[in-house]
Amino acid sequence: MPFDFRRFDIYRKVPKDLTQPTYTGAIISVCCCLFILFLFLSELTGFITTEVVNELYVDDPDKDSGGKIDVSLNISLPNLHCELVGLDIQDEMGRHEVGHIDNSMKIPLNNGAGCRFEGQFSINKVPGNFHVSTHSATAQPQNPDMTHVIHKLSFGDTLQVQNVHGAFNALGGADRLTSNPLASHDYILKIVPTVYEDKSGKQRYSYQYTVANKEYVAYSHTGRIIPAIWFRYDLSPITVKYTERRQPLYRFITTICAIIGGTFTVAGILDSCIFTASEAWKKIQLGKMH
């Protein structure tokens, strides 16, 4: 007797003339196909979409920065002349720079009565401060008006990613135009290192920050102290990392197979139960007629 390879077929076929279609089976089949289509499209959308996951760890992510952080500051002082506006930088490593001018620009406002200061500079990765003041002016004004609007204050690279909503420019839009003109402003910043890694493995380094602020008029034994706008910062040891991920192909295929197999199995059980119950009911009815 010749060997019949068809013995290994675990999907034996039933002749068509031995099957019986039913309206219930047709309804269940249509609903089953629609349900599978819905789940398939949902899984396909998840497979195509890039997921951004985040994690926290303790480390300095940007070790190649030389211990520096780039800062971008854009601030308007509508009631202070540009020749009086300056940027001073101090930190715990001994840096004390008055009247920083590199990569900075002053734009007159209100016919020269005000000033918009835009600057890019770097700070050391140690606690310190930078402040906008009149300390670098040749002659100190009697009553400098420090009312201001902060358009931008950011650290590190600019991250413009749709799925990441962080406090990268927490002070952007801060309006202090109605505050006391002679008051100093203290902004206490807690800077949090942030890493964004795309699907190709390329990393970008930025910094988020939280802020608390206070407004006060300072005095000493010689009288009122000249006001300034202080940005006092400290670095958090915690780093936030965002990573782009896409669902692996094998997981997508496995999920689709599970959806199709599971749905057909459950639908088959449901159809069998309904058909069995229907046949049993018919037999009961026929028994009553006899």
Side-chain angles (χ1 to χ4, degrees):
M1 181 178 180
F3 176 75
D4 189 358
F5 187 73
R6 292 178 297 176
R7 293 179 183 179
F8 295 103
D9 184 7
I10 61 176
Y11 303 102
R12 301 297 179 94
K13 310 303 183 293
V14 179
K16 191 173 182 180
D17 56 349
L18 298 179
T19 60
Q20 178 182 350
T22 62
Y23 285 108
T24 305
I27 293 173
I28 292 177
S29 298
V30 172
C31 292
C32 177
C33 292
L34 292 176
F35 184 67
I36 290 175
L37 179 62
F38 169 75
L39 293 181
F40 172 77
L41 293 177
S42 299
E43 286 297 322
L44 181 62
T45 302
F47 175 70
I48 296 174
T49 304
T50 300
E51 179 187 13
V52 178
V53 297
N54 62 77
E55 60 180 311
L56 303 177
Y57 60 92
V58 179
D59 194 11
D60 178 10
D62 191 8
K63 294 183 175 63
D64 298 329
S65 63
K68 302 285 187 180
I69 300 175
D70 293 329
V71 184
S72 178
L73 174 64
N74 189 331
I75 184 172
S76 292
L77 298 93
N79 300 308
L80 195 64
H81 294 279
C82 279
E83 60 267 19
L84 300 175
V85 176
L87 177 70
D88 310 326
I89 306 173
Q90 298 174 293
D91 63 35
E92 292 187 359
M93 291 183 66
R95 181 181 182 182
H96 189 178
E97 186 175 347
V98 178
H100 179 87
I101 58 174
D102 294 338
N103 298 319
S104 62
M105 179 171 53
K106 300 177 184 179
I107 304 172
L109 301 175
N110 302 332
N111 297 320
C115 187
R116 179 167 179 159
F117 178 86
E118 299 179 8
Q120 285 80 39
F121 53 97
S122 63
I123 57 175
N124 294 316
K125 291 183 177 180
V126 295
N129 74 80
F130 51 92
H131 51 276
V132 178
S133 68
T134 61
H135 298 163
S136 61
T138 305
Q140 293 296 318
Q142 289 289 3
N143 297 307
D145 187 337
M146 303 306 291
T147 55
H148 61 277
V149 176
I150 300 174
H151 306 288
K152 179 183 180 182
L153 175 60
S154 62
F155 300 86
D157 294 339
T158 301
L159 289 183
Q160 294 181 339
V161 184
Q162 183 177 2
N163 296 328
V164 176
H165 303 286
F168 297 99
N169 185 24
L171 276 175
D175 188 332
R176 301 292 183 267
L177 295 179
T178 58
S179 61
N180 186 342
L182 302 178
S184 290
H185 300 265
D186 262 17
Y187 295 100
I188 314 300
L189 312 178
K190 192 69 172 181
I191 301 176
V192 182
T194 303
V195 182
Y196 188 88
E197 182 177 317
D198 60 21
K199 295 190 297 292
S200 65
K202 180 181 178 182
Q203 293 185 339
R204 285 183 286 169
Y205 303 97
S206 186
Y207 297 84
Q208 304 181 64
Y209 61 93
T210 59
V211 58
N213 69 284
K214 63 179 179 178
E215 174 187 329
Y216 60 94
V217 178
Y219 291 90
S220 69
H221 63 279
T222 58
R224 183 170 51 81
I225 297 176
I226 296 175
I229 304 170
W230 297 83
F231 301 92
R232 307 181 191 274
Y233 61 87
D234 193 5
L235 272 77
S236 168
I238 303 297
T239 295
V240 180
K241 183 178 181 180
Y242 297 98
T243 307
E244 288 185 354
R245 291 181 184 173
R246 179 169 287 178
Q247 182 180 347
L249 180 61
Y250 72 86
R251 185 178 300 173
F252 172 71
I253 295 175
T254 302
T255 304
I256 295 302
C257 291
I259 288 173
I260 295 174
T263 304
F264 273 121
T265 300
V266 173
I269 294 173
L270 180 62
D271 178 61
S272 177
C273 292
I274 293 176
F275 179 76
T276 302
S278 175
E279 291 297 308
W281 178 255
K282 289 180 181 178
K283 290 180 180 180
I284 292 173
Q285 294 295 93
L286 287 174
K288 289 182 178 180
M289 292 177 63
H290 296 288

